[in-house]
């Protein structure tokens, strides 16, 4: 009888257990959370892992799913470092403005004042929105409010998501999952993600071609992921409160050059010049309402290590007309300051007018320079081959020459750049006739622009005599002929290099000439319309 009671009791317990299980399952089905509720719960869990004193800014934490086109990447974020007193910049900090100095050599200097609320003692300070091509070793942090009581203990540059490869490197020796385009999923310890994905499991090592990967799934990193270029400092403050901080750094990826538009008048005797500063920003950051300065000069730099960068595309040039620009000397260079705020966007090319000179006196000259320009390094050396230098070009170059002087309509320090020359046509329009590059040119110096080769003016250089008079003596004669097919007189400047030896003496010449240096002679010849003109000379070399 007792056995029967115990049997019924056990059966009763079993029935009650089944009824309780069914009831619980029904309740669970009725209370299944929605996708939005699941995200809220996950967000709350992430936030709970942070220090109560931490402030989270945009870009410090990432969402549970981080797409990296064309390959999707999923992370399970645990949150950021919970350092005591961690702070971050607020939107109000942008009111201080940015100062940007751009150099000719793919270099920019960024200066910005931001306000941070610091606690007494050690603080972790974050600064986002920096250029992705920053030079981390150039960063300088100084408190303007309390420079004596605020000390920087550590400085870090962090950026995890420069590329999928950068992200994979952070997960080496950790377990990840990979889904291929065919739908297969592989999970294992990541051994390498440089070329192909190598996953190790208890059974085997699986190699997945990177081109076959459709999606990665990563575990959380203890320090979280930094999705924007970020500077972080460990700062010790002597007192709590807000402090204005000056942050300065150099960045690659931003540069400027001068571009000039020059227009010749009908008689080729005057030139109007407009100079533009062409600024190209590929640094990975936008500089809103910046106080912009452009430095012209060759600043010496040491070799820099290759820095992580983002892929960029060049936008159509944005021209900003008629600004006020102040020019002044700085050290051994020239500085041009734009007298108004300028927004320089990432992946943008912007033009700003620098200089204007409406009436510059110029000379159009034709130059024929057929002889070799070789310079012998020793007085004991000579070129004795009689055939050397006989082949010469027949083309006559066309140049524009002018002086960078106030009395000639200019007199402005000119940054180096490209000068594009246009010519007024008979129908009132203008046509492009050539371009050349100038170097940084101070006031008072002469400039020469090579625009091309003359169509109707040609030259010819012929050796008419060669004799070696002794072991160390040569005499040589040349004829130079110029042919002008134009219906006007053309003045041609003929330049001859006496190239065979350093000791050269002109014995005779059919026309007058001037010596530009010990081994260079110059003729200035007028060639009549539709005519030709020849000159001859004889030179003796000794060594």
């Amino acid at each position: 009888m007792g056995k029967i009671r115990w049997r019924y009791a056990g059966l009763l317990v079993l029935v009650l257990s089944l009824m309780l299980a069914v009831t619980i399952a029904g309740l669970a089905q009725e209370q299944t959370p929605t996708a939005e509720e699941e995200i809220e719960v996950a967000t709350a869990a992430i936030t709970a892992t942070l220090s109560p004193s931490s402030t989270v800014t945009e870009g410090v934490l990432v969402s549970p799913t981080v797409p990296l086109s064309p390959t999707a990447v999923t992370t399970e974020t645990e949150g950021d470092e919970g350092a005591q007193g961690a702070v971050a910049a607020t939107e109000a900090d942008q009111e201080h403005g940015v100062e940007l100095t751009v150099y000719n050599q793919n270099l920019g200097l960024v200066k910005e004042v931001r306000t941070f609320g610091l606690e007494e003692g050690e603080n972790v300070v974050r600064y986002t929105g920096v250029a992705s091509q920053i030079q981390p070793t150039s960063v300088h942090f100084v408190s303007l409010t309390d420079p004596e009581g605020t000390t920087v203990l550590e400085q870090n540059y962090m950026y995890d998501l420069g590329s999928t490869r950068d992200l994979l490197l952070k997960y080496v020796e950790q377990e990840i999952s990979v889904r291929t385009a065919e739908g297969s999923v592989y999970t294992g310890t990541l051994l390498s993600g440089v070329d192909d994905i190598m996953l190790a499991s208890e059974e085997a090592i699986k190699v997945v071609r990177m081109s076959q990967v459709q999606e990665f799934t990563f575990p959380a990193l203890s320090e979280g992921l930094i999705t924007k270029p970020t500077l972080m400092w460990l700062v010790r403050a002597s007192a709590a409160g807000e402090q204005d901080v000056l942050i300065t750094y150099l960045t690659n990826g931003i540069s400027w050059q001068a571009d000039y538009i020059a227009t010749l008048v009908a008689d080729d005797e005057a030139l109007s010049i407009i100079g533009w500063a062409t600024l190209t920003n590929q640094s990975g950051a936008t500089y809103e309402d910046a106080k912009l300065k452009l430095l012209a000069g060759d600043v010496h730099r040491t070799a820099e290590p290759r820095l992580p960068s983002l892929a960029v595309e060049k936008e159509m040039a944005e021209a900003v007309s008629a600004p006020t620009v102040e020019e002044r000397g700085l050290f051994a260079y020239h500085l041009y300051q734009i007298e108004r705020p300028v927004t320089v966007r990432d992946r943008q090319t912007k033009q700003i007018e620098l200089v204007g000179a409406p009436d510059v006196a110029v000379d159009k000259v034709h130059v024929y320079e057929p002889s070799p320009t070789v310079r012998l390094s020793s007085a004991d050396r000579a070129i004795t081959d009689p055939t050397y230098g006989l082949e010469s070009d027949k083309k006559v170059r066309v140049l524009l020459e002018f002086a960078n002087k106030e009395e000639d309509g200019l007199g402005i320090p000119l940054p180096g750049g490209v000068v594009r020359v246009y010519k007024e046509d008979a129908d009132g329009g203008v046509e492009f006739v050539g371009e050349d590059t100038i170097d940084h040119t101070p006031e008072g110096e002469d400039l020469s622009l090579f625009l091309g080769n003359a169509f109707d003016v040609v030259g010819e250089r012929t050796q008419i005599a060669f004799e070696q008079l002794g072991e160390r003596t040569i005499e040589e004669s040349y004829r130079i002929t110029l042919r002008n097919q134009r219906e006007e007189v053309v003045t041609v400047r003929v330049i001859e290099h006496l190239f065979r030896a350093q000791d050269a003496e002109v014995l005779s010449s059919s026309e007058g000439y001037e010596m530009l240096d010990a081994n260079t002679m110059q003729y200035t010849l007028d060639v009549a319309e539709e005519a030709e003109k020849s000159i001859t000379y004889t030179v003796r070399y000794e060594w």
Side-chain angles (χ1 to χ4, degrees):
M1 188 70 177
K3 293 182 179 179
I4 294 174
R5 289 196 186 100
W6 282 111
R7 188 176 299 169
Y8 281 122
L11 181 60
L12 180 61
V13 171
L14 178 60
V15 172
L16 291 175
S17 299
L18 290 173
M19 293 175 62
L20 180 60
V22 172
T23 303
I24 293 174
L27 291 174
Q29 185 173 4
E30 292 176 0
Q31 296 179 2
T32 299
T34 64
E36 290 79 5
E37 291 171 338
E38 288 179 345
I39 293 175
E40 291 179 3
V41 172
T43 304
I46 293 170
T47 307
T49 64
L50 297 173
S51 168
S53 58
S54 299
T55 303
V56 180
T57 61
E58 178 187 356
V60 176
L61 293 181
V62 297
S63 62
T65 300
V66 184
L68 291 182
S69 179
T71 302
V73 178
T74 304
T75 63
E76 301 168 2
T77 309
E78 290 184 353
D80 202 7
E81 294 178 354
Q84 180 65 29
V87 295
T90 64
E91 292 296 327
D93 298 335
Q94 301 301 325
E95 297 177 1
H96 291 292
V98 180
E99 184 173 320
L100 176 63
T101 303
V102 184
Y103 299 75
N104 297 122
Q105 301 153 293
N106 194 40
L107 181 70
L109 174 64
V110 182
K111 291 176 279 187
E112 183 174 4
V113 177
R114 288 199 179 187
T115 301
F116 297 96
L118 302 181
E119 300 293 334
E120 182 179 355
E122 293 185 359
N123 299 259
V124 175
V125 179
R126 280 185 180 80
Y127 172 52
T128 59
V130 299
S132 60
Q133 294 204 48
I134 185 176
Q135 295 182 13
T137 56
S138 70
V139 176
H140 185 52
F141 177 106
V142 59
S143 172
L144 302 178
T145 304
D146 185 15
E148 299 295 330
T150 305
T151 306
V152 177
L153 305 177
E154 291 183 9
Q155 180 170 281
N156 302 277
Y157 172 71
M158 302 178 297
Y159 184 37
D160 296 327
L161 296 183
S163 66
T164 305
R165 178 177 175 178
D166 293 337
L167 187 59
L168 284 168
L169 290 175
K170 300 186 75 68
Y171 285 92
V172 172
E173 298 184 354
Q174 297 188 56
E175 185 177 280
I176 71 169
S177 294
V178 174
R179 182 170 63 85
T180 65
E182 292 78 14
S184 301
V185 177
Y186 302 98
T187 300
T189 301
L190 179 63
L191 301 181
S192 175
V194 176
D195 295 317
D196 296 325
I197 307 300
M198 299 177 61
L199 299 175
S201 63
E202 294 181 357
E203 294 80 15
I205 294 178
K206 182 69 176 179
V207 177
V208 182
R209 299 290 183 188
M210 182 70 78
S211 59
Q212 297 175 346
V213 177
Q214 183 68 27
E215 182 179 86
F216 293 101
T217 300
F218 296 101
L221 290 177
S222 58
E223 71 273 17
L225 288 175
I226 306 301
T227 61
K228 292 183 179 180
T230 301
L231 291 170
M232 187 178 76
W233 295 271
L234 180 61
V235 177
R236 179 182 292 132
S238 60
E242 289 191 345
Q243 292 196 28
D244 289 339
V245 174
L246 173 62
I247 300 168
T248 306
Y249 65 87
L250 294 171
T251 178
N252 294 329
I254 186 168
S255 189
W256 79 282
Q257 71 169 32
D259 285 281
Y260 299 91
I261 302 298
T263 304
L264 269 171
V265 298
D267 58 6
D268 297 337
E269 294 183 355
L271 194 69
S272 65
I273 299 177
I274 297 177
W276 296 85
T278 301
L279 176 65
T280 302
N281 178 22
Q282 298 183 349
S283 66
T286 293
Y287 310 94
E288 295 281 353
D289 295 330
K291 182 179 180 181
L292 180 61
K293 300 177 182 178
L294 307 173
L295 189 138
D298 300 322
V299 178
H300 180 259
R301 299 178 63 195
T302 58
E304 289 289 339
R306 188 175 181 88
L307 299 172
S309 63
L310 294 175
V312 292
E313 297 177 359
K314 193 173 183 179
E315 290 186 359
M316 183 178 294
E318 175 185 341
V320 183
S321 61
T324 302
V325 178
E326 177 188 349
E327 183 274 329
R328 61 180 182 271
L330 176 68
F331 190 56
Y333 318 114
H334 278 271
L335 191 69
Y336 297 84
Q337 179 171 326
I338 313 304
E339 295 297 314
R340 59 175 182 78
V342 178
T343 295
V344 183
R345 302 194 181 280
D346 187 29
R347 298 183 291 183
Q348 181 186 58
T349 297
K350 181 186 291 288
Q351 286 192 309
I352 301 171
E353 186 177 338
L354 280 183
V355 297
D359 188 17
V360 180
V362 298
D363 292 319
K364 184 178 75 172
V365 298
H366 293 75
V367 176
Y368 183 51
E369 191 173 4
S371 57
T373 58
V374 62
R375 293 281 184 174
L376 297 177
S377 58
S378 172
D380 295 329
R381 299 181 59 193
I383 299 174
T384 59
D385 180 2
T387 64
Y388 183 86
L390 296 188
E391 294 184 5
S392 60
D393 198 345
K394 293 186 176 183
K395 295 180 179 179
V396 176
R397 293 180 293 153
V398 181
L399 291 84
L400 287 182
E401 295 181 345
F402 54 99
N404 188 9
K405 297 179 180 179
E406 186 175 357
E407 56 266 31
D408 290 333
L410 201 52
I412 306 169
L414 299 176
V418 177
V419 183
R420 295 175 176 86
V421 181
Y422 297 80
K423 162 82 172 176
E424 291 182 1
D425 198 3
D427 62 1
V430 294
E431 301 294 340
F432 176 69
V433 294
E435 66 183 19
D436 201 2
T437 301
I438 64 171
D439 200 353
H440 302 303
T441 306
E443 182 180 357
E445 294 296 312
D446 295 330
L447 294 104
S448 179
L449 304 177
F450 169 52
L451 300 186
N453 298 311
F455 187 87
D456 297 319
V457 182
V458 297
E460 186 175 2
R461 178 175 180 269
T462 306
Q463 184 190 68
I464 56 177
F466 181 90
E467 183 177 4
Q468 186 154 353
L469 303 178
E471 184 179 354
R472 304 175 70 87
T473 304
I474 290 176
E475 283 188 9
E476 187 174 29
S477 300
Y478 278 94
R479 175 185 294 111
I480 297 175
T481 302
L482 298 170
R483 291 186 287 273
N484 175 23
Q485 305 300 335
R486 303 186 65 176
E487 296 180 353
E488 61 181 0
V489 177
V490 174
T491 299
V492 181
R493 187 182 299 163
V494 179
I495 298 176
E496 274 290 279
H497 301 282
L498 309 179
F499 59 90
R500 292 196 178 275
Q502 286 190 10
D503 187 359
E505 178 187 0
V506 179
L507 301 181
S508 63
S509 175
S510 62
E511 295 284 341
Y513 62 90
E514 63 174 317
M515 295 299 297
L516 301 182
D517 57 42
N519 290 82
T520 306
M521 57 194 303
Q522 176 178 289
Y523 295 91
T524 302
L525 305 175
D526 291 330
V527 186
E529 62 271 19
E530 297 181 341
E532 69 175 43
K533 185 168 187 177
S534 296
I535 60 171
T536 59
Y537 73 90
T538 300
V539 59
R540 173 182 293 171
Y541 297 100
E542 295 182 345
W543 64 96

